[in-house]
Amino acid sequence: MTLKKRTKLISVLLLSALLFLAACGNNEASKSGSDSKEATINKDAELNIAYPTNLQTLDPHLTTNQSTRDVARQIFEQLLTLNENYEVVPMLAESYKVSDDGLTYTFKLRQGVKFHNGEEMKADDVVASMEKWMKTSTQGKANLSGAQFVEVDPYTVELHIDKPSLIVPFVLADAAPFPAIVPKESVEAAGDTGLTEYIGTGPFKLEEWKVDQHIHLTRFDEYVAREDESSGLGGKKEALVKDVYFRIVTDESTRVSGVTTGQYDIAFEVPFDSADQIESTDGVTNVFDEGGIATYVFNKKSGPFSDLKLREAFNTALNAEEAMIAAYSDDRFYTLDSGLALPNQVNWHSDAAKEKYNIGDIEKAKKLVEESSYNGEEIVILATKDYTDQYNLAVVAQQVLESIGIKAKLDVYDWPTVQERRVDPNNFDMFAMTFAVRPTIHQNPFLDSKAEYPGWTNSEKIDQLLVDIKSASSFEDAKPLIDELQTEVWNYLPVAKVGNIQDLVAVSDDVKGYKNLIGPILWNVSKSE
């Protein structure tokens, strides 16, 4: 090849390389520009949520109903709340401290916090709200009987209690029924059915409530946020969309089709069998929220399971993973864990006695049946098809019992009838039940003998451990007691835990920042242009 030709070839190659690099640069610029456009927040956006149930009330003091909780938490706030590890942190309180004797809690209030009516939140509003909550809420009446809130000055409030309790801050930070702070005038105007005006301090305010149609929230432009980092229900909150609509869509297939076609930005209570459809649909994503725990509840007051040996036999035969697969079909929808609390509930979780979880030993279980007082009677498993997972768990229970030589039948009703029948110990021997996440283990109704929850736990040791944990001066002191309680629960078996469950939510890819902690968190959620 001549020098002239070689030089020409090199020039061509150099030109090609430059053109290639230029093209790559243009592609990167285009991609970067596209990403930038996708990330642009539309602060005038409207967030449309397909929500499965209507509200009976928006007064968060009155009910544990999740529909009230999910909407009201966007409107109202409380003195204390929970971070992403379920630890108590201040919200409307700037800070709080506990006296040396544990009987007085002093709350310093944040100054300049505005209600949706434009008035500043002060101590008299807090006292009125908390007194109402303590008188009307199940949590207030159960845990703060005889307690009193008093105003010290316009920005300081004290809570006086009769005896120290480690769980008081968790009760005040509970998610349902939560102690929302409202104007004193709203408390005074409230009747027997609760608040008649819904004025809070939250990042969104109520614009309109059309029963059976929608609840419309709009951004509160005078919202005063905390400056600390957002975590769970705590820290900085910002309304990054202008309007939020909870559209009441009771049919699950309509919710699914609506979110996959873009009619809705978020859909709640998506059936698990729609997960693959959502996963394969462009523009929408599956999001899994912590849903609580799945259990089998034993009737310990009368019948065969009043014999601990038979409860042990069932628990020993149970293969938790097989049961969870039968109920939830896919390991995306559950996790295996022996704790009463979730793993990220850092103050409460324990894996003590985990060797008694997920045993799946049929032969050992048969020996325990022989050692029990079981005499061939038929076990009645109360069940409902209204909740598919509970029904499938009931079917598994029947199969497990039959595998160890115990007769068993399903007694199937609609959910309201199940609730009626389970109050009578003569009607059943066991039922499958899921329990929502609660801030403390004390709020699991199947533990406390005094709770009289169907199943009728009657353990002096469990009762005393619950008291001892409440009386502990710190979680460092409480930790060995929590481990001891966990061990005793697996020894006594008020329930047989199966696993932790996930709730499925479908979220548009245009929506960023969606999170959940005992319900949806819609502040700090944005929608792109």
Side-chain angles (χ1 to χ4, degrees):
M1 182 180 293
T2 66
L3 177 62
K4 184 176 181 180
K5 287 182 177 179
R6 188 181 299 117
T7 302
K8 184 176 181 181
L9 177 61
I10 292 171
S11 298
V12 171
L13 291 172
L14 284 172
L15 179 60
S16 299
L18 288 170
L19 289 171
F20 176 76
L21 288 171
C24 288
N26 287 337
N27 285 341
E28 288 302 313
S30 175
K31 184 178 179 182
S32 175
S34 175
D35 286 349
S36 176
K37 184 176 180 181
E38 287 178 4
T40 300
I41 294 174
N42 178 8
K43 287 203 170 184
D44 292 324
E46 178 180 293
L47 195 65
N48 283 286
I49 298 169
Y51 198 78
T53 55
N54 213 334
L55 286 72
Q56 299 303 311
T57 177
L58 252 177
D59 187 338
H61 294 178
L62 296 183
T63 180
T64 59
N65 187 281
Q66 71 177 41
S67 59
T68 298
R69 175 201 70 195
D70 291 352
V71 178
R73 63 167 41 182
Q74 323 301 330
I75 301 169
F76 303 105
E77 296 176 308
Q78 52 207 89
L79 288 173
L80 307 177
T81 193
L82 300 169
N83 68 14
E84 63 189 13
N85 292 320
Y86 295 84
E87 298 167 304
V88 175
V89 293
M91 176 44 68
L92 290 176
E94 182 64 44
S95 62
Y96 76 101
K97 64 179 181 179
V98 188
S99 62
D100 291 341
D101 62 7
L103 299 180
T104 302
Y105 287 73
T106 302
F107 301 90
K108 289 292 184 182
L109 304 180
R110 291 164 55 207
Q111 298 188 27
V113 173
K114 295 288 186 70
F115 284 115
H116 298 156
N117 61 6
E119 298 296 321
E120 185 182 9
M121 177 203 71
K122 291 188 177 179
D124 58 345
D125 302 303
V126 172
V127 170
S129 299
M130 295 308 300
E131 291 290 335
K132 174 182 177 298
W133 176 80
M134 287 193 299
K135 290 176 183 175
T136 59
S137 74
T138 53
Q139 288 299 314
K141 288 186 283 189
N143 295 289
L144 291 171
S145 177
Q148 184 180 17
F149 274 87
V150 295
E151 177 181 349
V152 177
D153 62 48
Y155 298 104
T156 309
V157 170
E158 287 182 349
L159 167 63
H160 300 284
I161 58 178
D162 295 333
K163 55 185 178 181
S165 172
L166 188 66
I167 71 169
V168 163
F170 287 88
V171 172
L172 298 181
D174 199 358
F178 72 84
I181 305 303
V182 301
K184 180 181 178 182
E185 294 75 18
S186 295
V187 174
E188 293 171 344
D192 294 338
T193 56
L195 296 171
T196 56
E197 53 186 12
Y198 306 108
I199 300 171
T201 60
F204 295 98
K205 60 184 180 180
L206 179 66
E207 182 70 18
E208 182 182 48
W209 178 8
K210 285 192 173 183
V211 177
D212 296 327
Q213 295 183 44
H214 66 249
I215 301 98
H216 175 198
L217 311 182
T218 191
R219 180 168 53 229
F220 178 41
D221 290 325
E222 294 182 77
Y223 178 69
V224 180
R226 295 190 65 91
E227 295 182 358
D228 39 323
E229 184 179 354
S230 178
S231 176
L233 298 172
K236 185 177 181 180
K237 299 179 181 178
E238 187 176 3
L240 296 177
V241 296
K242 186 176 185 298
D243 296 287
V244 175
Y245 284 88
F246 285 82
R247 309 282 185 183
I248 308 305
V249 185
T250 56
D251 181 69
E252 60 186 26
S253 62
T254 304
R255 294 197 298 276
V256 172
S257 64
V259 77
T260 54
T261 59
Q263 181 182 1
Y264 307 119
D265 301 299
I266 301 174
F268 289 107
E269 290 196 17
V270 173
F272 292 131
D273 58 11
S274 297
D276 290 340
Q277 176 189 349
I278 291 165
E279 197 169 89
S280 63
T281 301
D282 290 339
V284 64
T285 302
N286 289 319
V287 174
F288 299 98
D289 293 337
E290 292 172 336
I293 64 174
T295 69
Y296 290 109
V297 179
F298 301 107
N299 176 1
K300 300 166 290 295
K301 180 178 281 190
S302 63
F305 283 123
S306 60
D307 184 345
L308 174 59
K309 283 289 184 183
L310 200 64
R311 302 202 295 274
E312 290 178 338
F314 177 84
N315 184 64
T316 300
L318 180 64
N319 182 310
E321 185 159 21
E322 290 180 358
M324 293 301 277
I325 280 287
Y328 300 104
S329 75
D330 190 310
D331 61 10
R332 290 175 295 175
F333 309 140
Y334 70 85
T335 56
L336 298 179
D337 176 64
S338 62
L340 288 171
L342 301 183
N344 63 340
Q345 291 182 275
V346 295
N347 289 313
W348 299 103
H349 185 262
S350 170
D351 60 4
K354 63 182 180 181
E355 68 278 1
K356 296 193 174 186
Y357 170 70
N358 192 24
I359 300 172
D361 189 332
I362 299 298
E363 295 308 313
K364 184 177 179 181
K366 287 180 178 179
K367 291 178 182 177
L368 287 167
V369 173
E370 292 174 1
E371 295 170 12
S372 76
S373 58
Y374 177 69
N375 195 31
E377 57 267 57
E378 189 171 54
I379 298 290
V380 176
I381 305 168
L382 202 55
T384 179
K385 291 186 177 180
D386 290 354
Y387 296 98
T388 304
D389 57 341
Q390 291 182 26
Y391 179 76
N392 290 341
L393 284 171
V395 171
V396 169
Q398 182 183 31
Q399 294 169 346
V400 168
L401 289 167
E402 290 177 345
S403 73
I404 57 176
I406 296 175
K407 298 176 184 177
K409 73 168 185 176
L410 299 183
D411 209 7
V412 183
Y413 302 93
D414 61 30
W415 175 239
T417 304
V418 166
Q419 290 179 298
E420 291 174 8
R421 291 190 62 79
R422 71 183 189 181
V423 300
D424 186 344
N426 296 311
N427 286 338
F428 73 96
D429 297 304
M430 69 185 302
F431 59 89
M433 181 54 52
T434 58
F435 295 93
V437 184
R438 300 311 306 267
T440 75
I441 52 180
H442 291 71
Q443 292 164 301
N444 287 311
F446 52 80
L447 289 180
D448 191 342
S449 300
K450 296 185 293 296
E452 283 293 306
Y453 181 78
W456 301 281
T457 295
N458 186 19
S459 168
E460 291 183 6
K461 189 168 184 179
I462 289 177
D463 291 341
Q464 187 58 52
L465 283 166
L466 289 170
V467 171
D468 292 345
I469 291 167
K470 286 175 68 173
S471 302
S473 59
S474 68
F475 276 102
E476 184 178 358
D477 293 338
K479 181 64 171 111
L481 296 170
I482 293 170
D483 289 341
E484 190 177 349
L485 173 65
Q486 178 89 10
T487 300
E488 185 57 26
V489 167
W490 280 107
N491 288 338
Y492 177 83
L493 289 171
V495 300
K497 181 177 176 186
V498 195
N500 300 335
I501 57 177
Q502 303 284 309
D503 291 332
L504 179 57
V505 179
V507 180
S508 166
D509 291 347
D510 290 335
V511 173
K512 305 298 181 186
Y514 170 79
K515 294 182 180 179
N516 179 293
L517 192 143
I518 320 180
I521 300 170
L522 299 179
W523 55 87
N524 304 337
V525 171
S526 65
K527 188 175 176 181
S528 58
E529 297 280 6

